[in-house]
Amino acid sequence: MALATDSRNSRGTAGTAAPGPPGASAAGMAAGVGASLIWGSAFLVPVLLGGWNPVIVTLGRYLVYGLLSMFLFTLGGAGPRRVLREHWRTALAFALAGNAVYYLLLVIGIRAAGAPLTDMVIGAIPVVVAVAGNVLAPAVTWRWLALPLTLVTAGIALVSALEIAGVHAYLAAPTAEKAAGLLAACAAVAMWTWYALANARFLARQSAISPAGWSTAVGVATGAVALAGLPAAALAGQLTTPSGTHPGPARLVAGAVFLGVVVSWAGTWLWNLASSRLSPAVAGLLVNLETVSGFGYVYAARQHWPGAGQLAGLALVLAGVALTLRAARSGPRAP
């Protein structure tokens, strides 16, 4: 996620759930869908980069994100400097939890358990965030959320069980290795869920900070984290070039630029925009499109269809997302 369920709702954390204007909600859903489709490619790029170490992929992504954010930061004048000066500790914590550590765990999961299984485990984030968000900021009645949550959870569980059992599995690997990758993916879920909710509370209190401005501030902090991590990665022997010539360094650079500019900065900006216009529950469940798109991108890169069971799981997730959008438009609001 992927990367930020950032300001889920600037109204919600205060305890209210009044919906915004219809146009704002439509724009929020469009931005949320766009962000999720972009974030889905974060599962594909490590697959295309083949044998490159997950640490190298992570550092490359966030060094690019940091460089772009620093460039925008210098052009922004006094406003961004004031934001970062006043909130650098928060930006640093979010850079670690929501970006660097989260994505490192995700890439480790992809290498050990395969991209589709990791993708579906990460797909639990929208469910967790939607439930926690609706508890903290009731926006839609639980009766309307029950069926979408059930469908999404069932779809994720079905695909995960099939991949672990090896039924038309994407990756042929020992069960112990897949279990280790699954643990890494679960840790990524916990890390990003904390970040999402903490960031939502922060932006609800700091309504003067723009979505683009906060994306840039966190990007500067993320770049600093990646830069500081380079010596440690080198000492630990994590920066070695993989054997063979394919994929070469040029593809690594292209992948890092795409991840840093499009997935990190643009995706986070779109999600900040969506989060300021949608309730936490609706925004959380919209992230399931990241799961579905990531699953589709990975299988498309291999040019074959997933098994019938995996397709059934994806259909359940999509049905849950469709019901979420319906509830967002016409569902009764929580008191």
Side-chain angles (χ1 to χ4, degrees):
M1 202 146 262
L3 278 185
T5 315
D6 287 338
S7 66
R8 295 276 170 200
N9 182 9
S10 61
R11 301 176 301 274
T13 312
T16 61
S25 295
M29 281 190 268
V33 169
S36 297
L37 293 177
I38 288 174
W39 283 344
S41 61
F43 297 91
L44 174 62
V45 174
V47 174
L48 298 179
L49 293 180
W52 285 98
N53 191 302
V55 175
I56 294 178
V57 177
T58 302
L59 289 175
R61 171 180 182 169
Y62 291 120
L63 283 172
V64 172
Y65 181 28
L67 286 172
L68 172 63
S69 298
M70 181 58 72
F71 174 72
L72 297 173
F73 180 78
T74 57
L75 295 179
R81 288 196 292 271
R82 178 187 58 78
V83 169
L84 195 57
R85 184 173 63 251
E86 294 178 359
H87 304 291
W88 67 269
R89 292 181 182 85
T90 303
L92 184 60
F94 292 170
L96 286 167
N99 289 336
V101 177
Y102 161 77
Y103 193 66
L104 178 60
L105 290 168
L106 184 149
V107 177
I108 291 173
I110 290 172
R111 288 285 299 274
L117 177 56
T118 303
D119 184 10
M120 296 307 288
V121 173
I122 295 299
I125 289 177
V127 178
V128 177
V129 172
V131 170
N134 212 47
V135 168
L136 295 174
V140 182
T141 61
W142 287 109
R143 180 176 63 84
W144 277 74
L145 274 181
L147 184 56
L149 286 172
T150 300
L151 291 172
V152 168
T153 303
I156 293 170
L158 175 59
V159 174
S160 300
L162 291 172
E163 286 288 332
I164 290 245
V167 180
H168 299 293
Y170 175 86
L171 178 67
T175 301
E177 186 175 339
K178 283 194 173 184
L182 186 62
L183 286 175
C186 289
V189 170
M191 187 73 64
W192 203 73
T193 298
W194 174 84
Y195 160 66
L197 296 176
N199 202 26
R201 289 194 297 270
F202 171 80
L203 285 175
R205 295 192 301 266
Q206 305 292 335
S207 58
I209 299 178
S210 70
W214 188 235
S215 177
T216 299
V218 174
V220 171
T222 304
V225 169
L227 194 62
L230 278 175
L235 289 174
Q238 298 297 309
L239 301 183
T240 56
T241 302
S243 59
T245 58
H246 181 77
R251 183 179 290 188
L252 173 66
V253 172
V257 170
F258 178 82
L259 287 169
V261 175
V262 180
V263 178
S264 290
W265 195 92
T268 301
W269 168 67
L270 278 174
W271 195 254
N272 282 336
L273 193 63
S275 302
S276 64
R277 290 163 168 78
L278 301 174
S279 73
V282 172
L285 283 173
L286 272 182
V287 188
N288 282 292
L289 291 175
E290 175 191 357
T291 301
V292 176
S293 62
F295 201 94
Y297 297 156
V298 169
Y299 271 99
R302 289 190 60 173
Q303 298 181 359
H304 74 78
W305 283 90
Q310 283 85 343
L311 285 174
L314 285 177
L316 288 172
V317 172
L318 283 174
V321 172
L323 287 176
T324 300
L325 296 175
R326 179 170 174 262
R329 290 194 303 268
S330 58
R333 302 289 166 180

